Amino acid sequence: CAICNDLGMRYRNLNAVINNKKDFDVVIEEAKMYGGMIVIVDEIHRLNKDKQDILLPYLESGIITLIGMTTSNPYHAINPAIRSRCQLFELKDLNTSDIKKGINKAINSGYLDGINIDEEAKEYLLLMKTKKSLTKEIYQLIRDIHSYDCFEFAIFDLTSCSEDYLN
């Protein structure tokens, strides 16, 4: 989590659909042990009332800072007690300029050490964004390619390994 790393805070990822009450309890105990933690909950609109109630006292005390992600309206899907202790932000789609800045930042970060993507390949990545409108997949593709220990990318490399992303 880039925001957590920038803040120098510990964090854990949970998914409201996949993780059970025990998983939430483990994260809460870890947060208490370290004196605080950011808890990122994907699909927070699917978080049942029991799990929301578990988090509430730790949100109130500041031991847990919650980042919840949802595609649903949080005013309908999330317990009012949780909502009242959180700031709600609506994220808008990124434009191609924003995405290009993000690609350059990812390349220059320490997370993708040694990676080099030429300008033509960057333009190809931006073309993927316009075809599918899935910025997340562009960043995932860069991480996937990096994990294969290939650090030089030109347009022909990306074309051959990204067919699934375009079709």
Side-chain angles (χ1 to χ4, degrees), residues 124-136:
Y124 184 77
L125 289 169
L126 293 173
L127 174 66
M128 288 174 54
K129 162 51 171 128
T130 19
K131 285 194 172 212
K132 287 200 73 171
S133 297
L134 294 173
T135 306
K136 185 170 124 179

Side-chain angles (χ1 to χ4, degrees), residues 115-142:
I115 195 169
N116 181 29
I117 300 177
D118 70 20
E119 288 304 313
E120 191 177 6
K122 288 178 193 174
E123 292 302 319
Y124 184 77
L125 289 169
L126 293 173
L127 174 66
M128 288 174 54
K129 162 51 171 128
T130 19
K131 285 194 172 212
K132 287 200 73 171
S133 297
L134 294 173
T135 306
K136 185 170 124 179
E137 286 190 5
I138 293 172
Y139 295 121
Q140 184 63 48
L141 176 62
I142 293 170

Side-chain angles (χ1 to χ4, degrees), residues 84-141:
S84 71
R85 288 155 180 84
C86 298
Q87 293 287 325
L88 300 178
F89 297 95
E90 181 180 359
L91 303 179
K92 304 287 185 184
D93 285 338
L94 298 173
N95 62 39
T96 53
S97 172
D98 295 328
I99 296 167
K100 194 166 190 174
K101 285 178 194 172
I103 290 170
N104 288 327
K105 186 175 180 179
I107 291 168
N108 295 324
S109 75
Y111 299 111
L112 300 173
D113 191 36
I115 195 169
N116 181 29
I117 300 177
D118 70 20
E119 288 304 313
E120 191 177 6
K122 288 178 193 174
E123 292 302 319
Y124 184 77
L125 289 169
L126 293 173
L127 174 66
M128 288 174 54
K129 162 51 171 128
T130 19
K131 285 194 172 212
K132 287 200 73 171
S133 297
L134 294 173
T135 306
K136 185 170 124 179
E137 286 190 5
I138 293 172
Y139 295 121
Q140 184 63 48
L141 176 62

Side-chain angles (χ1 to χ4, degrees), residues 5-99:
N5 290 333
D6 286 349
L7 294 171
M9 293 189 66
R10 294 179 183 276
Y11 70 94
R12 291 292 172 257
N13 291 306
L14 293 170
N15 184 299
V17 177
I18 297 168
N19 295 110
N20 59 32
K21 181 184 175 296
K22 183 179 179 185
D23 297 326
F24 280 79
D25 288 336
V26 167
V27 169
I28 289 167
E29 289 305 312
E30 191 176 349
K32 291 191 303 192
M33 184 172 68
Y34 290 114
M37 180 177 293
I38 295 175
V39 178
I40 303 166
V41 180
D42 196 13
E43 304 286 341
I44 195 165
H45 63 280
R46 303 276 307 270
L47 194 64
N48 67 33
K49 186 177 179 338
D50 291 343
K51 291 176 194 169
Q52 289 187 39
D53 289 344
I54 291 168
L55 290 174
L56 190 57
Y58 304 102
L59 286 171
E60 288 174 336
S61 69
I63 289 175
I64 287 180
T65 301
L66 178 66
I67 297 177
M69 296 172 286
T70 181
T71 55
S72 297
N73 183 339
Y75 292 99
H76 298 295
I78 299 171
N79 177 331
I82 297 282
R83 257 194 350 257
S84 71
R85 288 155 180 84
C86 298
Q87 293 287 325
L88 300 178
F89 297 95
E90 181 180 359
L91 303 179
K92 304 287 185 184
D93 285 338
L94 298 173
N95 62 39
T96 53
S97 172
D98 295 328
I99 296 167

